[in-house]
Amino acid sequence: MNRFEGVKVLLTGAASGIGRATAVRLAAEGAHVFGVDRDERGLAETGRLVRGAYVPHVADVTDERAVVAAVDAAAAALGRIDVLVNVAGIQRTTPIESLTVADLTLLFSVNLVGTALFCREALRHLPDRTGVIVNVASIAATQGNPYMTAYAASKGAVLAFSLSLAAEVVGRGIRVVPISPGTVTTPLTRDIEFPEGADLRYFGRIRSLLGSGAPEQIAAAIAFAASSDGGYLTGANLRVDGGSGT
Ligand SMILES: NC(=O)c1ccc[n+]([C@@H]2O[C@H](COP(=O)([O-])OP(=O)(O)OC[C@H]3O[C@@H](n4cnc5c(N)ncnc54)[C@H](O)[C@@H]3O)[C@@H](O)[C@H]2O)c1
């Protein structure tokens, strides 16, 4: 498929996992990808895997000035921005007994504030009628995720933000699609540690009997949502979770 021939894509979280798979997938379909991440080496590794046009850019999504500069740099490098995909994110276990303000601030800064800043800035460039934003939320936004209240709340915020933004820009013909993956095999899930004595029975309801998803399967859903195939999709939470919780 060549659904992204000539399409200019600004993508965050491009250095790893779902973001890397998305860069590879969209470029393979013809996109020119401007990949943002704080991990310079990871961005370079993505560049080795991408078959197509790819520009790496190091920035921390929580740094407002850096986000403004990154979006300006993307517009300059690509000539325009057609699609924004917000994938950058972090996950932490935060058992309620030891939950701190620092945990809440960090998770909301990266997951919500980073996403919101990129949306605000990219919307100065996205074209009316064809512009698209895809924001990666999580099934944690709508389903209990034990020991991860702060992460879940930050992803709930990403979902709520996306639904309201979709309503705000639908008049311009710009689509906003929040995507909620279930458990996907990436460094994010590999590095998670649960508290000692955690009751593992809780996890049955957020696991799919299909097993964990692959980053490429989420990238395929992002490609659908961002392409004209998803042209009537906006303001709806697209769960890609192998039936978790059903
Ligand atoms: N893996 C899962 O099971 C899963 C499930 C649901 C949602 N998600 C979401 O998918 C997204 C991607 O996750 P992943 O599994 O690919 O994780 P990952 O750790 O492999 O990739 C996340 C990327 O975000 C980047 N990043 C983190 N903080 C940043 C910052 N402040 N500035 C710039 N870049 C930053 C990291 O450097 C990394 O490259 C996240 O938003 C995550 O919450 C993942």
Side-chain angles (χ1 to χ4, degrees):
M1 283 189 281
N2 278 328
R3 294 175 295 185
F4 291 88
E5 210 60 65
V7 175
K8 315 291 185 180
V9 177
L10 170 57
L11 165 70
T12 74
S16 179
I18 294 168
R20 172 176 288 163
T22 302
V24 169
R25 174 65 189 251
L26 298 185
E29 288 204 41
H32 192 161
V33 177
F34 189 94
V36 176
D37 205 289
R38 65 179 173 188
D39 174 2
E40 188 170 8
R41 284 177 58 185
L43 280 174
E45 178 57 23
T46 298
R48 281 187 278 281
L49 298 169
V50 165
R51 297 273 164 269
Y54 169 77
V55 181
H57 182 93
V58 178
D60 185 325
V61 301
T62 66
D63 178 342
E64 184 170 12
R65 273 199 204 167
V67 173
V68 172
V71 174
D72 286 347
L78 302 173
R80 59 175 199 277
I81 300 170
D82 300 307
V83 173
L84 167 68
V85 186
N86 278 304
V87 184
I90 56 168
Q91 191 179 48
R92 294 281 184 281
T93 43
T94 55
I96 192 64
E97 307 79 24
S98 53
L99 178 67
T100 64
V101 171
D103 292 329
L104 287 160
T105 304
L106 177 66
L107 283 155
F108 272 79
S109 293
V110 178
N111 295 343
L112 174 67
V113 177
T115 296
L117 289 175
F118 267 94
C119 288
R120 185 190 75 193
E121 292 305 308
L123 276 164
R124 293 190 289 114
H125 299 276
L126 290 176
D128 291 357
R129 288 184 298 284
T130 56
V132 187
I133 296 173
V134 179
N135 290 334
V136 174
S138 167
I139 57 167
T142 52
Q143 201 169 316
N145 239 41
Y147 312 111
M148 288 203 192
T149 52
Y151 172 75
S154 73
K155 288 299 186 173
V158 170
L159 176 59
F161 177 89
S162 303
L163 298 180
S164 288
L165 183 61
E168 189 168 326
V169 300
V170 70
R172 283 176 59 183
I174 293 177
R175 297 187 295 111
V176 182
V177 184
I179 287 195
S180 289
T183 303
V184 182
T185 307
T186 71
L188 183 117
T189 44
R190 192 186 56 212
D191 297 341
I192 281 294
E193 284 178 18
F194 287 101
E196 211 168 297
D199 189 337
L200 299 179
R201 287 175 309 174
Y202 292 163
F203 294 95
R205 52 199 293 275
I206 53 171
R207 287 250 164 90
S208 165
L209 293 182
L210 297 178
S212 293
E216 293 74 18
Q217 291 174 308
I218 308 306
I222 290 171
F224 161 70
S227 76
S228 56
D229 282 344
Y232 200 52
L233 183 62
T234 190
N237 181 23
L238 186 58
R239 289 178 66 121
V240 189
D241 64 357
S244 309
T246 56

